[in-house]
Amino acid sequence: MESDKERLNLKREVGIIGAVSFIAGTMMGSGIFISPQYVLSTIGSPGASLIIWACCGLIAMLGGLCYAELGTVIPESGGEYVYILRTAGKVVAFMFVFSFIIVMRPASATGIALSFAEYAVAPFYNSCTPPQLVVKTVAAAAIVVLAIVNCLSVRLATSIQVVSMVVKLLALAVIILGGVVMLIQGHNEDSDYSFEGTHAGVSSIGIAFYQGLWSYDGWNTLNYLTEELKHPEVNLPRAVVIAISLVTGLYVLVNVSYLTVMTPKELVSSSAVAVTWGNKVLGSWGWIMSVAAALSAFGSLNGTFFSGGRVCFVAAREGHMPDILAMAHIHRLTPSPALIFTTVVSLVVLIPGDFQSIVNFFSFTAWFFYAITLSGLLYLKIKKPELPRPYRVPIILPILVLIAAVFLVLAPIIDDPQIEYLYVTLFILSGAIVYIPFIHYKLCPGLLTKLTVFLQLFLEVAPAEKNL
């Protein structure tokens, strides 16, 4: 296992260019190709939707800067899990990792897979909405294929990520330039950037932010691999500012292009907005946008699987997850147990779910834990001022993002309560109930040991050490 350990030991090899690519590549996924119609339909007017997109970028930027300080005060990989563990304690950290592995990660993968499927089948259903059975079958196939790819080869998974990054940048550039050309040629008679019809309700604003922030998900990606980043005290905040500024600018311009080419009614009624845009601007070549959007979503789904094992690994190392999730294949050096587990849960979530509800419940859970993490940063600033801080933000920033997080968690519940949010909240809290017998008192250790040994032999995996 020496070679396995050497492969999995974390080394500081990610520079500023790699860091920017990692954040931007993860953020620019399926969301910008499928969320605009949901943001617009929820908030009610084109002008308000553009403000939502810009504000989402601002929230992501402020959150990323706050996380940059956390990443230098607590220089460990694992993101929210490690920060909550060091500030709020083991029980709350377990509640996070329990929700992350059972809800957040599978919901993220399922939402991206559904958007991939929408674009993959769109060219075959030009005049009608594709059947849900077809969409979910294609989504399931994508999840299984990428799980297999990530289990078999790190190099192949990395190649897919690089190719998809190039494709998504080209696709966004084509959409922006197409909108500019249409404006220059005077084809903007249908353009509408007004605020007429804006839904100013608390719930509408909250849900619109959920849909918009889904497209910005990944702003905290670099905190999952802090131990692999060169000079994190410098490169972490720099990468956050560069990547999120780039993505925000692209997203706003893409939405302007959508609204330049399509009427708000056309945008809202479209099941695949980039395809509708492509058909109107590129004519017979409109299918190119469908392919580009599908490849972009495919790459984002690949990235979800590629990074999915990190939190499992760290949690298992801390004793908060079964040991099998911290193991890697002895020959292929991939975290196959964690990937297989995530795949199975994702397929289960896919059966009843639809894109909009998955995004809402994912965002609700994610911002619940972002609020806890930011509270931890405030705690460290007030109670532990002596800790080394190579990078620091003014205390007003975490306070502002915390207020935004609390609003995003409470707004949909207060203004338009739904029983599903209660179920999600009860599930999050159930993590504490699971923790007491199985983690604190280590119930059924013999059975778990036998299962671990069986899975080790069956999957050909073994423990992998991680050096700091």
Side-chain angles (χ1 to χ4, degrees):
M1 283 303 297
E2 285 302 312
S3 62
D4 184 43
K5 289 182 181 180
E6 184 180 342
R7 175 65 185 86
L8 289 178
N9 285 347
L10 299 184
K11 300 174 183 178
R12 295 194 182 277
E13 296 180 343
V14 180
I16 183 64
I17 295 176
V20 171
S21 300
F22 209 98
I23 297 174
T26 305
M27 291 173 70
M28 289 189 296
S30 59
I32 189 58
F33 298 107
I34 204 164
S35 289
Q37 61 262 48
Y38 295 117
V39 174
L40 179 56
S41 63
T42 304
I43 200 63
S45 72
S49 72
L50 292 176
I51 290 178
I52 291 288
W53 282 99
C55 289
C56 286
L58 178 62
I59 291 172
M61 176 70 77
L62 297 180
L65 292 174
C66 293
Y67 269 52
E69 177 171 334
L70 276 167
T72 54
V73 176
I74 306 173
E76 300 178 51
S77 294
E80 289 89 1
Y81 171 73
V82 168
Y83 306 147
I84 293 172
L85 181 67
R86 303 290 178 245
T87 56
K90 294 181 178 180
V91 177
V92 182
F94 178 80
M95 288 167 59
F96 167 78
V97 80
F98 182 72
S99 301
F100 183 90
I101 292 172
I102 304 296
V103 174
M104 293 165 65
R105 179 63 64 177
S108 177
T110 303
I112 297 169
L114 283 171
S115 58
F116 161 77
E118 290 275 5
Y119 278 102
V121 304
F124 304 101
Y125 294 90
N126 269 331
S127 57
C128 62
T129 303
Q132 277 300 297
L133 179 61
V134 174
V135 172
K136 289 189 177 183
T137 301
V138 173
I143 289 172
V144 172
V145 167
L146 282 177
I148 293 171
V149 166
N150 279 270
C151 285
L152 292 179
S153 171
V154 171
R155 182 171 295 179
L156 180 57
T158 305
S159 300
I160 291 174
Q161 198 68 9
V162 172
V163 171
S164 72
M165 177 67 181
V166 174
V167 169
K168 65 184 74 175
L169 281 173
L170 288 174
L172 293 180
V174 167
I175 293 173
I176 292 169
L177 290 174
V180 171
V181 170
M182 294 291 280
L183 277 173
I184 292 173
Q185 293 178 346
H187 298 293
N188 61 334
E189 60 273 4
D190 293 330
S191 300
D192 184 357
Y193 309 112
S194 71
F195 290 84
E196 185 179 348
T198 300
H199 302 150
V202 175
S203 177
S204 297
I205 295 172
I207 297 297
F209 269 107
Y210 277 179
Q211 297 294 332
L213 286 166
W214 165 265
S215 300
Y216 286 91
D217 185 52
W219 54 266
N220 56 342
T221 298
L222 216 53
N223 293 78
Y224 290 105
L225 47 135
T226 307
E227 295 163 23
E228 297 168 86
L229 185 63
K230 295 177 182 177
H231 310 296
E233 68 281 356
V234 175
N235 287 335
L236 188 52
R238 279 184 183 173
V240 165
V241 171
I242 295 170
I244 299 178
S245 298
L246 171 67
V247 172
T248 303
L250 287 173
Y251 280 6
V252 172
L253 290 174
V254 165
N255 274 278
V256 170
S257 179
Y258 286 154
L259 290 167
T260 299
V261 172
M262 290 179 275
T263 64
K265 186 177 180 180
E266 287 176 326
L267 200 154
V268 168
S269 61
S270 172
S271 62
V273 63
V275 174
T276 306
W277 182 95
N279 291 335
K280 295 196 71 169
V281 176
L282 304 178
S284 60
W285 291 91
W287 59 270
I288 292 177
M289 292 312 303
S290 180
V291 173
L295 287 175
S296 176
F298 194 74
S300 295
L301 184 59
N302 178 66
T304 299
F305 279 108
F306 191 78
S307 62
R310 293 185 182 277
V311 175
C312 289
F313 181 92
V314 176
R317 184 184 64 178
E318 297 287 343
H320 282 178
M321 281 286 136
D323 292 338
I324 190 71
L325 294 179
M327 297 187 185
H329 195 278
I330 58 176
H331 300 303
R332 300 188 181 96
L333 309 174
T334 56
S336 48
L339 290 167
I340 292 169
F341 181 77
T342 301
T343 302
V344 172
V345 180
S346 297
L347 291 173
V348 172
V349 172
L350 179 64
I351 295 170
D354 67 273
F355 180 82
Q356 197 164 2
S357 61
I358 284 173
V359 170
N360 290 346
F361 299 136
F362 166 83
S363 299
F364 175 83
T365 309
W367 282 95
F368 177 85
F369 286 108
Y370 291 160
I372 294 175
T373 306
L374 291 162
S375 299
L377 175 58
L378 288 173
Y379 168 80
L380 292 175
K381 278 182 166 294
I382 295 168
K383 296 292 186 180
K384 306 279 186 179
E386 73 281 359
L387 290 176
R389 281 178 169 77
Y391 173 80
R392 65 177 67 225
V393 295
I395 195 168
I396 188 64
L397 290 194
I399 291 173
L400 289 174
V401 185
L402 179 59
I403 291 171
V406 171
F407 170 79
L408 288 168
V409 170
L410 295 181
I413 300 175
I414 294 172
D415 195 51
D416 184 21
Q418 297 179 36
I419 192 68
E420 289 83 359
Y421 290 111
L422 176 62
Y423 295 154
V424 174
T425 304
L426 290 175
F427 179 84
I428 293 171
L429 297 176
S430 70
I433 300 172
V434 174
Y435 177 86
I436 295 169
F438 294 105
I439 307 300
H440 185 72
Y441 289 107
K442 300 189 183 300
L443 195 66
C444 305
L447 178 63
L448 195 59
T449 301
K450 290 178 182 178
L451 181 61
T452 300
V453 172
F454 169 76
L455 290 173
Q456 271 191 267
L457 295 171
F458 180 72
L459 298 173
E460 296 184 323
V461 296
E465 297 294 332
K466 183 171 86 169
N467 290 340
L468 299 180

